[in-house]
Amino acid sequence: MELIGRGREADVFALGETRVLRRLRDERPAADEARLMRWLGAQGYPVPAVHEAEGTDLVMERLHGPTMAEALRRRPWRAPAYGAALGRLHRQLHALPDPGWLRPLPGSTGEARVLHLDLHPDNIIVTADGPRVIDWTNARVGPPEVDVAMTFVILRGIELPPHERLVIRGLLRSMARAGGSDLRAGIPAAAEWKLGRDPNLSEAEAGLIRRLQRRHG
C-alpha cells in the first residue's frame, strides 16, 4: 500500500483512486469514529463516506485536494477566507444535536453539542465540492465554545516564524467572527484538555499553551 499521509496518531494509505485506509497507531478501535462519521454524513455535515471499520483500521472515501493548511501556505493572503470557512464548519457542527452516545467532555456543563476537538486546517480537505472534515478521533459532546477555543489553542500553540504567526492570527480573527461562539470563554478548558491529553506536544508547544492558559485563566 502507498503511504500518502502521516499524522501524529495515524497513517493513511491509498487503496486506489477512490478509497483510503486510515490506521491508528494505538489500540483504539476505529468503529466509534466510523459510527460518528456515518451519523454526521446523514445529518449533511461534510465528512468522507465510510466504507468499513475493523480493529484500528478505517476504510473511507479518498478525497482529492489539498488540506486547508497546504492551501494556506500557497495563498497566505486568503487567510481571512479560510478562517471564515473554518468558523462556518464549527457553526454547522455545533448546530447538530447530541446523538446520545458520544462521551461527554470531562467537567463540561450546560449545552451539549458535538465537538471535534481537533478542527484545524490540517484536518480539512479542500475539495472541488467544498471543504470536508477528517480525523474525528477526539470527538466528544460539550459546550461549543471549547471546540472553537481548541482550534485557537492548537494554532497559537505552534512555533512559527513571525510572518506565519501574522497569517494564523488573521485566520483566527476571521474564524472567531464566523464561529458563533465566544472562544475566549472556552480557552481554559481547551488548554487543560490539550496539555493533559496530547502526548505529542513538544516542550516549546506546551509552553506556548501554558502562556495562553495564564492569560485567559
Side-chain angles (χ1 to χ4, degrees):
M1 293 185 295
E2 177 191 1
L3 179 67
I4 59 172
R6 185 174 178 84
R8 290 190 173 193
E9 298 179 337
D11 299 314
V12 180
F13 301 89
L15 300 176
E17 287 298 309
T18 61
R19 298 187 180 201
V20 294
L21 166 66
R22 181 171 178 267
R23 176 168 290 164
L24 290 165
R25 296 194 202 99
D26 59 21
E27 297 302 316
R28 284 177 295 176
D32 292 342
E33 187 174 0
R35 182 186 186 188
L36 175 59
M37 290 175 67
R38 286 178 173 132
W39 182 85
L40 289 166
Q43 311 306 308
Y45 195 78
V47 294
V50 173
H51 296 295
E52 58 183 290
E54 183 175 351
T56 59
D57 290 352
L58 179 62
V59 177
M60 57 188 171
E61 174 188 5
R62 182 173 183 177
L63 303 176
H64 295 278
T67 65
M68 184 180 283
E70 291 167 340
L72 187 61
R73 284 192 288 270
R74 294 173 193 168
R75 299 179 178 180
W77 61 89
R78 296 207 62 204
Y82 288 131
L86 184 53
R88 289 192 295 270
L89 287 168
H90 272 293
R91 184 188 290 268
Q92 184 180 353
L93 178 63
H94 302 150
L96 299 178
D98 179 354
W101 35 262
L102 270 179
R103 287 178 290 171
L105 185 71
S108 62
T109 58
E111 188 177 15
R113 298 290 179 172
V114 179
L115 312 181
H116 185 285
L117 295 177
D118 205 16
L119 186 47
H120 56 77
D122 273 319
N123 282 334
I124 300 169
I125 308 296
V126 182
T127 76
D129 297 321
R132 309 275 283 279
V133 181
I134 61 173
D135 194 355
W136 293 85
T137 308
N138 294 329
R140 298 287 190 277
V141 290
E145 62 269 18
V146 178
D147 209 11
V148 184
M150 185 67 75
T151 302
F152 181 88
V153 166
I154 289 169
L155 293 179
R156 289 295 299 271
I158 302 172
E159 286 190 290
L160 295 170
H163 69 283
E164 291 187 20
R165 284 203 301 270
L166 289 175
V167 171
I168 291 299
R169 286 177 179 175
L171 178 138
L172 288 172
R173 282 195 296 270
S174 186
M175 180 197 75
R177 288 193 293 269
S181 299
D182 180 9
L183 69 82
R184 291 170 297 181
I187 287 175
E192 182 178 355
W193 171 275
K194 187 68 174 169
L195 289 169
R197 302 279 301 208
D198 189 348
N200 299 301
L201 282 178
S202 68
E203 281 300 317
E205 289 170 337
L208 289 170
I209 293 172
R210 290 190 188 99
R211 192 179 305 168
L212 286 172
Q213 196 176 34
R214 289 193 296 270
R215 189 179 304 162
H216 295 275

